[in-house]
């Protein structure tokens, strides 16, 4: 088990991992019952102190371990009153370290501290080779709102929001990079006091079988930043609790959708979505690599254009009862 340290937030990246294909594969320690107590003595400017914290096993990590010596909100809890089942659940709270927001986070991978860019200290990825239909689990969430940041940014004034993200990748040996096979992402600003099930459909971008699964939970969705050039946002006290996650397979309303006839492409900073026919219930989501919504709305025309103040990889997901259209685009 690798020791973890406090970091402000995280950059989710895939790693090159392989696995053996198996039917209805599940993620390790998906009930979060494997929690290890770690203790020792550290030096603080010549003053030794005892430290003790709880760490998730089997590849689950966080930038915010429970260090009971530090009097800040902690990410892991053992209080059974907060669990959906068993004795343990993950608790993630947004706090602050001086003037900088520190977002509660957890995911699959390893923590390797990057001194030049602490935001890139967490590398995500675990072996996984299957094609589930949805990413599911149980959660509660406290959304703290009504607070506008001092710099006038109004993105949080109506309430903080959680982020649950799972994407499946496969190593492309020809191009020596990871290809995104499927994405399941969800944000919500609704406060939920009792354990409630979430089930997020995967949107597949290829017919490949993945070799790696990547998971990220954030108590504040705007806390995901790539490096020091961006500023994480969140409201202190926003709290996400997760328990009993699972990969959901066919048989309960998440069978493969037919593909809508159409396409999506970029023209500069604009994304164009063009359908051969427009189902009355068609909606579009454009999300970034962190699963954050760039666009989310109903479609009213066969051809729609969206101008984005964003550069990088984006996923276009058009859904209706008649089928789906998914495209992975690079916006310059």
């Amino acid at each position: 088990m690798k020791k973890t340290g406090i970091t402000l937030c995280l950059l989710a990246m895939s790693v090159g991992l392989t696995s053996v294909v198996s039917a209805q594969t599940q993620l390790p320690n998906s009930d979060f019952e494997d929690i290890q107590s770690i203790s020792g003595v550290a030096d603080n400017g010549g003053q030794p102190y005892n430290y003790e914290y709880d760490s998730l096993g089997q590849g689950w990590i966080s930038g915010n371990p429970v260090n009971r010596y530090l009097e800040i909100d902690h990410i892991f809890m053992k209080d059974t009153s907060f669990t959906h089942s068993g004795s343990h659940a993950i608790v993630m709270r947004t706090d602050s370290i001086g003037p900088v927001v520190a977002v509660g986070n957890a995911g699959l991978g390893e923590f390797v501290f990057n001194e030049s860019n602490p935001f890139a200290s967490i590398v995500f990825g675990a072996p996984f080779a299957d094609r589930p239909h949805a990413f599911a689990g149980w959660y509660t969430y406290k959304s703290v709102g009504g607070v506008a940041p001092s710099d006038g940014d109004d993105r949080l004034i109506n309430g903080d929001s959680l982020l649950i993200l799972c994407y499946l990748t496969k190593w492309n040996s020809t191009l020596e990079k990871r290809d995104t096979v499927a994405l399941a992402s969800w944000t919500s600003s609704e406060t939920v006091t009792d354990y409630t099930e979430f089930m997020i459909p995967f949107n597949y971008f290829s017919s490949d079988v993945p070799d790696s699964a990547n998971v990220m939970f954030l108590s504040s969705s705007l806390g995901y930043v790539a490096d020091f050039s961006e500023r994480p946002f969140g409201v202190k006290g926003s709290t996400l609790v997760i328990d009993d996650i699972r990969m959901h397979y066919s048989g309960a309303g998440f069978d493969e959708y037919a593909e809508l006839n159409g396409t999506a492409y970029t023209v500069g900073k604009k994304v164009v979505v063009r359908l051969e026919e427009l189902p009355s219930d068609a909606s579009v989501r454009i999300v970034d690599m962190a699963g954050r919504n760039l666009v989310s709305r109903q479609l009213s025309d066969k051809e729609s254009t969206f101008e984005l103040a964003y550069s990088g990889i984006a996923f276009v997901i058009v859904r209706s009862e008649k089928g789906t259209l998914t495209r992975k685009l690079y916006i310059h």
Side-chain angles (χ1 to χ4, degrees):
M1 180 68 195
K2 293 185 180 294
K3 293 185 178 180
T4 59
I6 294 177
T7 189
L8 305 182
C9 62
L10 55 141
L11 171 64
M13 297 290 289
S14 300
V15 293
L17 297 168
T18 58
S19 183
V20 177
V21 175
S22 60
Q24 301 207 357
T25 310
Q26 295 297 333
L27 298 174
N29 196 20
S30 55
D31 58 4
F32 305 121
E33 291 303 296
D34 181 6
I35 293 184
Q36 305 165 11
S37 294
I38 298 174
S39 60
V41 179
D43 181 81
N44 182 20
Q47 298 294 323
Y49 67 91
N50 296 321
Y51 66 84
E52 184 178 4
Y53 63 87
D54 300 328
S55 180
L56 280 170
Q58 301 185 46
W60 285 92
I61 52 167
S62 171
N64 319 102
V66 173
N67 188 330
R68 301 189 184 101
Y69 175 77
L70 299 173
E71 294 181 359
I72 61 174
D73 288 332
H74 306 317
I75 186 171
F76 300 139
M77 292 185 66
K78 289 189 175 183
D79 190 335
T80 57
S81 67
F82 283 93
T83 69
H84 173 253
S85 70
S87 301
H88 307 297
I90 306 176
V91 178
M92 291 154 278
R93 294 187 181 91
T94 298
D95 208 315
S96 60
I97 300 176
V100 182
V101 169
V103 176
N105 60 79
L108 274 172
E110 62 178 336
F111 183 94
V112 181
F113 184 69
N114 185 326
E115 186 173 354
S116 62
N117 180 13
F119 296 106
S121 294
I122 290 182
V123 181
F124 276 149
F128 184 86
D130 218 329
R131 288 176 62 89
H133 286 76
F135 182 59
W138 296 82
Y139 83 105
T140 71
Y141 186 60
K142 176 184 177 182
S143 172
V144 179
V147 178
S150 58
D151 63 1
D153 192 297
D154 62 357
R155 287 179 291 176
L156 299 174
I157 197 167
N158 294 320
D160 212 345
S161 60
L162 63 86
L163 171 65
I164 297 175
L165 171 70
C166 180
Y167 62 98
L168 310 178
T169 66
K170 183 177 182 179
W171 179 249
N172 186 323
S173 58
T174 301
L175 300 178
E176 295 189 342
K177 69 179 186 67
R178 292 220 142 255
D179 292 334
T180 302
V181 175
L183 171 72
S185 69
W186 180 54
T187 61
S188 175
S189 60
E190 180 182 0
T191 292
V192 177
T193 56
D194 296 323
Y195 268 103
T196 301
E197 187 176 27
F198 65 84
M199 189 173 291
I200 313 165
F202 278 104
N203 293 284
Y204 278 87
F205 302 95
S206 80
S207 60
D208 292 336
V209 175
D211 60 30
S212 179
N214 307 267
V215 178
M216 178 168 64
F217 302 121
L218 293 180
S219 55
S220 295
S221 63
L222 294 176
Y224 178 96
V225 298
D227 53 46
F228 284 121
S229 66
E230 299 182 50
R231 177 181 174 183
F233 287 93
V235 182
K236 184 175 180 178
S238 294
T239 306
L240 173 62
V241 185
I242 296 286
D243 201 6
D244 293 333
I245 63 169
R246 71 186 187 281
M247 293 296 196
H248 182 87
Y249 293 83
S250 61
F254 282 97
D255 293 330
E256 297 259 9
Y257 286 90
E259 182 166 349
L260 287 174
N261 292 322
T263 189
Y265 57 92
T266 61
V267 180
K269 288 284 191 180
K270 297 178 181 179
V271 173
V272 180
V273 177
R274 180 181 294 167
L275 302 177
E276 292 187 10
E277 64 171 317
L278 179 67
S280 60
D281 63 338
S283 62
V284 61
R285 287 180 65 214
I286 304 176
V287 300
D288 64 12
M289 282 292 292
R292 296 174 297 192
N293 282 331
L294 303 174
V295 172
S296 180
R297 66 186 63 175
Q298 294 295 119
L299 290 176
S300 57
D301 296 295
K302 289 183 181 179
E303 182 172 317
S304 301
T305 301
F306 307 97
E307 187 163 2
L308 305 178
Y310 170 78
S311 297
I313 294 174
F315 301 93
V316 178
I317 304 160
V318 181
R319 301 186 70 93
S320 79
E321 289 186 355
K322 291 187 176 182
T324 63
L325 171 71
T326 57
R327 293 292 186 272
K328 179 181 178 181
L329 303 176
Y330 184 76
I331 302 172
H332 298 277

